[in-house]
Amino acid sequence: MTLSQPLAAARTDARPNFDVERVREDFPILARPVHGKRLAFLDSGASAQKPRQVIEAMRAAYEETYANVHRGVYFLSQRSTDLFEGAREKVGRFLNAPSHENIVFTRNTTEAINLVAASWGRTFLREGDEVIISALEHHANIVPWHLLKREKGIVLKIAPIDDDGNFLLDAFADLLTDRTRLVSITHISNAIGTIVPVAEVIRLAHARGVPVLVDGSQAAPHINVDVQALDADFYAFTGHKVYGPTGIGVLYGKSDLLASMPPYQGGGDMIETVTEQESTFKDPPFRFEAGTPAIVEAIGLGAAIDYVEALGWDNLHAHERDLSAYMAQRLGTVEGLTVVGNAREKAGITSFVMECAHPHDMGTILDRAGVAVRAGHHCAQPLMERYDVAATVRASLGLYNNRADVDQLVEGLQQVREIFG
């Protein structure tokens, strides 16, 4: 397969009404130097930095309200429970879910997808049943299905992309058969930024009665997700990519689907009754939350959602479009650089290679220049094979990035050329 050509110069004259310099003041880590250089953090696709509002909410939870949830009759436990369940309500609002009872807290997207595979998959899939994913998936939406392939004998089918990374909707439709039982697909590629037309994917799948799980790990920070408008059956995302803490993730599920699924882990407060010989379980979402949950992390996620929503999705989208166009223009000036994946619809995630240097060497030189990027296969080895590369450098934007970050990246890449070119 061939790589896409370097991006052409893009229009960059339309600036959004978004005070990114003011926003950057909310993120204390951005003020610290790295190797004596200004920090240009361009790895939000791996994990985003945290605003003071999230840090403060978590500090306050530990200092002022901390206790276990759903267990105590005393003041602190009830206050902690209120904040924890308040975070669930915020997540429900964030996704426009019909109810907060559609929201299951997990550790991250990976655990959310594994929950569906382990509970729904083991219950309803049989040998020969087909699950469709795409060529854009990261490992979290591949490996759980590989495990079911070994365990249950399911058939895994891969929806293709073209050389630019565009999702091929007609080819996907051709994969749907009478044996298709689930479509599990990313909303945005973590490696090359392609935005998948998931509304059309869901419409086509539902026409055959097939449920769809959407991996929104990269989409939740970039798109105003509406699970009811999409008619998604499951939607998963992780807290640390939406400016919240690590250790907290979300699985949205339609009520009838969640009600049909058995627990996949047991213990703690997910039970209704327990005798020496038998257990019965609570209704969703609690039956899927075994043990003490990530209490403070959920509160931090709620604070992150408040923060993002207060900035306004229109402002965030305009800022990202402007900065993405500027990055495309500036990367197009770097001799010998090739962008991997140039889909028509992309989020602020750009992968690239250079003829003169290995991505790991590029990442090391960029680090010494104060630029944080990811270099590697991005937990998407099949996609790397699709493009016949072992690895790329990935620059992924967050709401706090500015043009100085992009300029610093390009200056670092010029140093790569000077050393290896």
Side-chain angles (χ1 to χ4, degrees):
M1 299 300 171
T2 60
L3 303 179
S4 61
Q5 297 302 307
L7 290 174
R11 286 176 57 85
T12 61
D13 52 343
R15 304 294 296 275
N17 182 23
F18 180 76
D19 188 353
V20 66
E21 300 309 318
R22 169 65 190 85
V23 169
R24 289 174 63 84
E25 294 175 1
D26 289 334
F27 292 82
I29 201 169
L30 298 180
R32 65 151 299 165
V34 172
H35 300 308
K37 306 289 175 46
R38 170 189 180 275
L39 171 62
F41 189 80
L42 292 166
D43 195 23
S44 296
S47 193
Q49 298 298 347
K50 320 307 173 191
R52 295 182 192 278
Q53 290 83 345
V54 170
I55 298 168
E56 176 59 24
M58 297 179 71
R59 185 202 62 76
Y62 276 124
E63 290 188 355
E64 301 171 15
T65 64
Y66 182 77
N68 214 325
V69 295
H70 302 146
R71 289 161 170 80
V73 296
Y74 53 91
F75 172 81
L76 285 180
S77 179
Q78 294 190 14
R79 180 60 180 145
S80 189
T81 299
D82 289 344
L83 291 171
F84 179 76
E85 291 302 325
R88 195 190 307 273
E89 292 179 0
K90 290 177 182 179
V91 172
R93 183 189 69 216
F94 184 67
L95 295 177
N96 192 30
S99 166
H100 64 280
E101 294 179 351
N102 298 100
I103 304 301
V104 180
F105 282 131
T106 63
R107 285 186 303 156
N108 44 47
T109 299
T110 300
E111 186 171 78
I113 296 172
N114 274 273
L115 190 165
V116 175
S119 176
W120 187 89
R122 282 179 179 156
T123 304
F124 297 107
L125 294 180
R126 302 288 182 269
E127 183 176 358
D129 286 346
E130 298 169 355
V131 172
I132 300 176
I133 62 173
S134 82
L136 294 164
E137 308 305 327
H138 65 152
H139 297 165
N141 197 27
I142 300 173
V143 180
W145 311 115
H146 283 175
L147 294 174
L148 274 186
K149 184 178 179 181
R150 292 179 184 177
E151 178 181 332
K152 306 277 291 190
I154 67 168
V155 176
L156 196 59
K157 301 172 77 172
I158 314 297
I161 57 174
D162 66 17
D163 287 352
D164 281 338
N166 293 298
F167 182 82
L168 300 176
L169 197 60
D170 290 341
F172 162 75
D174 290 340
L175 295 179
L176 292 164
T177 73
D178 292 340
R179 295 304 304 268
T180 306
R181 297 291 179 266
L182 181 73
V183 174
S184 185
I185 197 158
T186 188
H187 201 162
I188 293 178
S189 163
N190 76 311
I192 61 174
T194 298
I195 300 175
V196 173
V198 293
E200 284 300 296
V201 167
I202 292 170
R203 183 183 64 79
L204 290 166
H206 283 183
R208 285 180 168 268
V210 177
V212 178
L213 185 162
V214 181
D215 173 358
S217 191
Q218 296 294 334
H222 296 281
I223 292 177
N224 187 10
V225 176
D226 185 333
V227 291
Q228 293 191 79
L230 289 173
D231 200 19
D233 299 281
F234 298 105
Y235 198 99
F237 77 93
T238 193
H240 68 94
K241 294 188 193 327
V242 292
Y243 311 99
T246 55
I248 185 73
V250 169
L251 174 69
Y252 159 83
K254 286 183 175 176
S255 299
D256 58 336
L257 286 168
L258 292 179
S260 72
M261 294 161 51
Y264 79 118
Q265 293 178 335
D269 198 43
M270 46 78 75
I271 59 90
E272 187 176 62
T273 61
V274 177
T275 67
E276 289 187 346
Q277 299 298 327
E278 189 57 76
S279 299
T280 61
F281 307 106
K282 288 183 175 176
D283 291 335
F286 304 108
R287 76 169 57 155
F288 303 111
E289 297 177 356
T292 295
I295 301 165
V296 176
E297 289 77 5
I299 293 169
L301 174 58
I305 287 172
D306 287 341
Y307 182 80
V308 171
E309 291 183 334
L311 292 176
W313 280 109
D314 288 345
N315 292 329
L316 296 177
H317 292 159
H319 174 64
E320 183 171 327
R321 281 196 301 270
D322 173 76
L323 200 57
S324 294
Y326 184 70
M327 179 180 286
Q329 181 187 57
R330 295 287 282 125
L331 290 179
T333 67
V334 179
E335 186 179 349
L337 182 145
T338 301
V339 172
V340 180
N342 190 18
R344 291 182 294 274
E345 299 292 333
K346 282 188 64 171
I349 298 171
T350 302
S351 269
F352 52 86
V353 294
M354 293 180 73
E355 297 173 352
C356 62
H358 189 280
H360 287 172
D361 293 327
M362 296 165 64
T364 300
I365 293 171
L366 289 170
D367 173 56
R368 300 299 298 184
V371 181
V373 293
R374 183 167 176 178
H377 56 59
H378 315 299
C379 297
Q381 287 181 308
L383 183 60
M384 296 295 107
E385 291 177 10
R386 169 66 175 74
Y387 282 102
D388 195 24
V389 294
T392 71
V393 173
R394 183 188 69 181
S396 51
L397 299 175
L399 55 82
Y400 36 65
N401 288 122
N402 59 14
R403 292 191 175 205
D405 294 329
V406 175
D407 292 339
Q408 197 168 333
L409 168 67
V410 171
E411 290 168 8
L413 292 171
Q414 297 294 359
Q415 293 177 27
V416 173
R417 273 198 53 77
E418 292 172 5
I419 295 171
F420 291 100

